[in-house]
Each structure stands twice: as structure tokens, then as C-alpha cells.
Amino acid sequence: MADKKQILITCKEATLLVCKKQEKAISLKEKIQLKAHLLVCRVCQLFNIQSALLHQHLKKINNENYDSKVLQLDETQKAALQLQIDTESEK
Amino acid sequence: MLKLESKNMLNPKNWITLYADYLLNFAYFRLRDRALAEDLMQDTFISALKSQHTYNGTANEKTWLTAILKNKIIDYYRSKLGKQSKITDSIDNNTNNDYFNEETSFHWFEKKQPQDWNNPEKTIENSEFNTTLADCMKKMPEKLAAVFTLKYIDDEATETICKEVGITSSNYWVMMHRAKLQLRECLEKNWFRK
């Protein structure tokens, strides 16, 4: 028996379910709640579409695609570190 | 004997030249704090020296060192997240970051509502988008960023993340939800409707 109160959810709950759906951590009941909410709420529909797009994009790029050479140690720092390692390994 | 020779070997004499910058950036990208990243990079080499005897040569040197650093980063995340019993209260107290009216309408606050994006499928492929994305990730509160990074940069399973940093799955969802609301909003302001 479907309980009306159980089908209606708030925008906060709906957007949380959008996040769960992306990780396939959504139950059947939640799926129905989300579908029903998205039918009537244009704002959450937008959130759903946009965050799906971002999710796909984030999944596609891995850390190598980010700015991975932002920082560089200068030669003095490197020499000091190497010296530290050399001293440690002789212990 | 031949078998032994084909195995990977550790050569600490070359570590700094070969891996210091790599490990520094690996840590910086995940922690967004240069001093902290430098500390953990340095600790990694020291720990690696001390546990040289555990190295069995199956992974290459770089992978092995990265794994040590990764553990240090997770320890750091856990120290920030794990002891928090009320994570939800402590994420941020800034009321500017409330998205939903939880008293009367139960709807989005008007000024927080997502807007239409112009041609997002196309502009998201622009290489500069990833710079904006990285900037927006830098703006995330530390705790949210920790969870978000483990999910999307390190591609870890949700269960693993919860175990590693010591949070419950409901805390995980609260944080991921909030992280995505903030990230979406930041990208809208700085990219899609700029």
C-alpha cells in the first residue's frame, strides 16, 4: 500500500538521492521517490542533469589530467633532502 | 639468480631526483597545503628507509613510495574526520552555504537555485575547465574535500573510504551531498554562466 507521505520528499532529500544514484547506492523505494520528485520539480531536474554531467566528467579525468606539476622543489632543498636520506641510510 | 635480477630494487641515492617533485605534487593536490605536503613527502622518504626490509620488489619503487605517502595522507584525513562525532555540524557554519529552506517551503532558496547552463557538454571539454574545476575543489572545506578527493581522484569505493577515514556511511552521504552542492554552485558561477 503506497503511503502518500512516503512518496513525497523535499528538495534536500531529492538532491541527496541524486548523489546516491550516481554511486548506485539507491534503493527501489528511493528511486521511486526521486522519480516522482523530479517529475514536478524543475530546479531539482536541473541539479540532476548538471551533477550527472559533472560526475561523468570527474570519472573520466584522473589525477594525471589535473595540474600535476604545480610545485617544484629548488635544487638546494633537494640536495638537503638527499643528504638527509644518505645520512639516514648509513645509520 | 636471474629471477632476482629482474626484480625491482630500491635505490635511495636517487629518490629525491626521481620522486621528490612527483610526491610533493601528489600530496599537494590532495591536501592543498604546501607546508603539509612537504612534510608528508619528507616523512615518506624517512618511513621508506626504515621499512626497506619490507620491500619485496613486486611493485616498482615509485608505486611503493606513493603507497606509503597515500597512507600518510589517509592518516591525516582520519585525524581530521574520524574523531568528529557530529560531522554534520562542523562542516561549515556559514549560513551562506544553506541551500534549502527547511522551515517553510522546503524548497531551494531562490538565490541558490541551479540556473540553466549554456552548452555545458561542449564547454566542459575545454581544457581550461579543469583549471576552474581544480580551483573550485580548492575552495571546498577541508573535510568535504577529503571525502571528495578519495572518491573522485583516488577512485575508491565508498565502503573503503568510510573505513579508512573512520566515518559512517550516513556521514559520508551528508558530506558528499554538500560537496556536490558547493562544487556545482562554484562551477556555475565561475564557468558555466561566467
Side-chain angles (χ1 to χ4, degrees), chain B residues 46-184:
Chain B
I46 303 300
S47 299
L49 279 177
K50 285 182 186 149
S51 49
Q52 277 185 86
H53 59 280
T54 66
Y55 182 73
N56 60 18
T58 37
N60 70 37
E61 212 177 26
K62 186 177 179 181
T63 311
W64 187 68
L65 289 168
T66 310
I68 296 173
L69 174 59
K70 178 80 193 299
N71 280 330
K72 294 194 180 295
I73 294 171
I74 286 174
D75 284 346
Y76 177 79
Y77 285 159
R78 192 173 50 238
S79 75
K80 291 282 158 186
L81 284 160
K83 59 190 167 197
Q84 215 71 46
S85 52
K86 278 196 171 179
I87 279 176
T88 44
D89 295 340
S90 62
I91 293 168
D92 52 55
N93 298 319
N94 187 347
T95 47
N96 246 335
N97 286 331
D98 277 343
Y99 291 85
F100 307 100
N101 179 332
E102 293 184 73
E103 274 156 19
T104 51
S105 72
F106 295 97
H107 199 57
W108 292 75
F109 284 119
E110 207 168 327
K111 62 175 192 331
K112 288 289 193 180
Q113 293 182 358
Q115 305 293 309
D116 274 314
W117 291 351
N118 312 316
N119 213 351
E121 288 85 1
K122 203 169 174 192
T123 60
I124 206 169
E125 295 301 332
N126 184 323
S127 60
E128 279 170 47
F129 174 76
N130 287 347
T131 311
T132 309
L133 178 63
D135 287 343
C136 282
M137 284 169 66
K138 270 184 206 158
K139 285 182 199 157
M140 264 186 212
E142 195 177 32
K143 289 170 187 174
L144 299 187
V147 171
F148 193 85
T149 302
L150 289 171
K151 186 74 215 175
Y152 283 104
I153 310 302
D154 293 315
D155 199 23
E156 291 191 3
T158 304
E159 259 175 58
T160 315
I161 298 173
C162 292
K163 215 182 286 170
E164 279 174 343
V165 300
I167 55 173
T168 63
S169 77
S170 75
N171 277 336
Y172 171 87
W173 288 114
V174 168
M175 295 172 74
M176 190 52 85
H177 183 209
R178 196 148 258 281
K180 288 186 172 175
L181 285 164
Q182 292 187 11
L183 185 70
R184 195 214 64 82

Side-chain angles (χ1 to χ4, degrees), chain B residues 14-25:
Chain B
N14 296 331
W15 278 359
I16 299 301
T17 324
L18 292 175
Y19 311 118
D21 283 335
Y22 172 78
L23 293 177
L24 177 64
N25 282 289

Side-chain angles (χ1 to χ4, degrees), chain A residues 11-12 15-16 22-23 43-44 50 55 57 59-60 66 68 70-71 73 78 81-82 84 88, chain B residues 12-13 16 21 25 29 42 49 102 107-108 114-115 125 130 151-152 155 158 172 177 180 184:
Chain A
C11 295
K12 186 177 183 181
T15 50
L16 174 67
Q22 286 165 351
E23 293 190 31
V43 185
C44 287
Q50 293 172 348
H55 176 80
H57 184 78
K59 281 271 167 191
K60 206 170 61 188
Y66 294 98
S68 56
V70 183
L71 303 183
L73 291 174
K78 282 189 183 174
L81 277 173
Q82 189 61 58
Q84 197 189 348
E88 281 287 330
Chain B
K13 285 255 166 232
I16 299 301
D21 283 335
N25 282 289
F29 192 68
Q42 209 166 333
L49 279 177
E102 293 184 73
H107 199 57
W108 292 75
Q115 305 293 309
E125 295 301 332
N130 287 347
K151 186 74 215 175
Y152 283 104
D155 199 23
T158 304
Y172 171 87
H177 183 209
K180 288 186 172 175
R184 195 214 64 82

